[in-house]
Amino acid sequence: MCAAESAGQGTGTYQERRKVLMATKRVCVIPGDDAAPEVVIPTVQLLERMHLGIEFVWLTTGEEAIRQCGEGFPPAAKQAVDESACTLFGSARDPRTTGLAYLRWGKKTYANYRPVKWMPGMRSPLQRPEGIDFVIVRENLEGLYPGREGDLARLEPLQLTDPMTLQVLDTSKKGKFAVRVITEENTKNIARAGCTLAMKRKATGGKGKVTVVAKYNVLVQSDGLFCQVVEDAVKRYPELSFDQLLGDNFCQQMVINPHQFDVVIMPNESGDAFSDGAAGLVGGLGLAPSACLGDDYAYFEPVHGTAPDLAGKNCINPTAMLLSAKWMLDYLGLEEAAQRLERAVYQVYADGKQLTRDQGGTASTTEFCEAVQATL
Ligand code: IPM
Ligand code: MN
């Protein structure tokens, strides 16, 4: 399971091979670490019971793969990903050794959709959560991630001028730097993804509104470019309206009036942080799914981490994983099944009898999944 086999690369152009992969519906599954497999396994079981013609390929990555192959993401795992339509991903303790780095940067999945939607029965801390329904589109490849850092002294040859003081940056102190990159090309991609989503949502009653959130008053050049590219993209869709907010203001607005938002586009690191915050509005990270899409590949993972404190207890809320799987079914062209799955999950919340502890219930992960299964 460690080495890639040379056969099986397929023939024909890349696009032709991609078409075949989408049609065969082969999906890689990476269960992840700690409590993550406890939501991945029942989710796949549920999908299998729906008889959707999906072929699941389970991959061993991370610590177990290091034990078996000496590396966390061995060539065979990479090949399996390359020969699949998409990946269902649990959550990784170390993004470098579990395949996350390849799924994101290797497969260029630049758009990370993080929906924030309240449904009856979800344990929101807000008084009026009814109608909260927006999607954060987080740029997934650039900004401060993937983390290009180093010793401050390395910046000395650049003689950078600090725009606040007009002084040259003092690189003589012991310290570190981090590089933040925003490219026009990638921002165009993310802007297009956000606009397409807003149009799709508008077709089913959405607001048709794109909000770009960034710190353009301080990061005048990088976030300035990000906002400008998004604004230019939205102009190409006369049906959509455009708004621009500073990141700090967004945080306040999302708490006092989250209903105003529809599609919210953000750079990587703020999208990462603010989407965890936004999940809190509707009931917490146990409910927050995500989908990472590029032009040629996609993977689906909950917003939450590996929840080591919950591992082995059969109590983690599988909603985030199940709703991520719902987005995967949409991606695979199984829209009707996607809706069935989503409706079943929401029904369990509306019934309120089989909720997990984070939602004020006493049900185990298994009991919640059984309730979804019974409602499907
Ligand atoms: C997430 C996580 C990851 C990220 C880490 C583990 C790299 O926080 O998916 O939200 O920041 O993207
Ligand atoms: Mn995160």
Side-chain angles (χ1 to χ4, degrees), residues 173-193:
K173 295 205 174 74
K174 196 174 166 203
K176 304 283 182 187
F177 68 85
V179 173
R180 187 167 184 275
V181 175
I182 303 282
T183 67
E184 191 181 73
E185 185 190 3
N186 195 60
T187 312
K188 279 183 177 166
N189 286 339
I190 186 88
R192 194 181 348 95

Side-chain angles (χ1 to χ4, degrees), residues 102-351:
Y102 185 64
L103 293 171
R104 206 175 279 186
W105 287 279
K107 303 304 269 182
K108 297 196 176 16
T109 45
Y110 52 81
N112 185 351
Y113 299 84
R114 296 188 153 186
V116 181
K117 182 173 174 170
W118 183 86
M119 291 299 281
M122 294 180 173
R123 202 188 199 190
S124 166
L126 301 185
Q127 230 160 41
R128 280 184 298 279
E130 296 82 9
I132 297 177
D133 181 6
F134 62 95
V135 181
I136 291 179
V137 180
R138 166 196 177 189
E139 192 289 308
N140 218 18
L141 307 176
E142 301 191 324
L144 277 174
Y145 306 173
R148 300 177 189 94
E149 302 175 297
D151 290 327
L152 198 52
R154 284 180 60 194
L155 297 183
E156 203 273 332
L158 296 179
Q159 291 291 299
L160 292 170
T161 306
D162 180 341
M164 300 288 182
T165 60
L166 301 180
Q167 306 280 306
V168 171
L169 175 70
D170 179 4
T171 54
S172 65
K173 295 205 174 74
K174 196 174 166 203
K176 304 283 182 187
F177 68 85
V179 173
R180 187 167 184 275
V181 175
I182 303 282
T183 67
E184 191 181 73
E185 185 190 3
N186 195 60
T187 312
K188 279 183 177 166
N189 286 339
I190 186 88
R192 194 181 348 95
C195 291
T196 309
L197 178 67
M199 290 296 288
K200 206 172 146 199
R201 284 167 60 86
K202 190 164 189 188
T204 53
K207 295 185 186 67
K209 176 175 173 187
V210 172
T211 307
V212 66
V213 169
K215 197 71 186 169
Y216 50 85
N217 57 343
V218 177
L219 303 169
V220 178
Q221 297 199 36
S222 53
D223 274 3
L225 173 68
F226 192 85
C227 291
Q228 192 57 55
V229 169
V230 175
E231 185 174 359
D232 289 347
V234 179
K235 279 189 193 136
R236 265 174 247 124
Y237 298 81
E239 303 90 333
L240 299 180
S241 64
F242 171 78
D243 196 10
Q244 173 169 308
L245 283 183
L246 291 169
D248 37 5
N249 187 19
F250 172 78
C251 281
Q252 193 222 183
Q253 293 288 329
M254 105 176 162
V255 175
I256 61 173
N257 181 14
H259 299 84
Q260 66 183 293
F261 298 119
D262 178 18
V263 171
V264 188
I265 305 181
M266 297 184 203
N268 201 343
E269 59 286 338
S270 47
D272 184 23
F274 298 169
S275 55
D276 273 38
L281 296 175
V282 293
L285 282 173
L287 307 174
S290 98
C292 300
L293 271 66
D295 292 332
D296 304 318
Y297 201 75
Y299 73 97
F300 303 85
E301 64 166 338
V303 173
H304 63 67
T306 64
D309 50 325
L310 305 183
K313 295 184 181 157
N314 193 23
C315 72
I316 182 171
N317 188 343
T319 304
M321 191 75 240
L322 288 165
L323 295 178
S324 302
K326 178 260 167 197
W327 279 68
M328 182 180 86
L329 296 183
D330 271 329
Y331 178 75
L332 291 171
L334 301 164
E335 288 91 357
E336 197 262 334
Q339 272 186 22
R340 259 177 71 207
L341 178 59
E342 185 180 53
R343 267 201 303 267
V345 172
Y346 291 159
Q347 190 58 49
V348 174
Y349 279 91
D351 293 344

Side-chain angles (χ1 to χ4, degrees), residues 86-103:
C86 58
T87 291
L88 196 62
F89 191 84
S91 183
R93 218 178 294 144
D94 181 346
R96 281 154 302 192
T97 59
T98 340
L100 184 78
Y102 185 64
L103 293 171

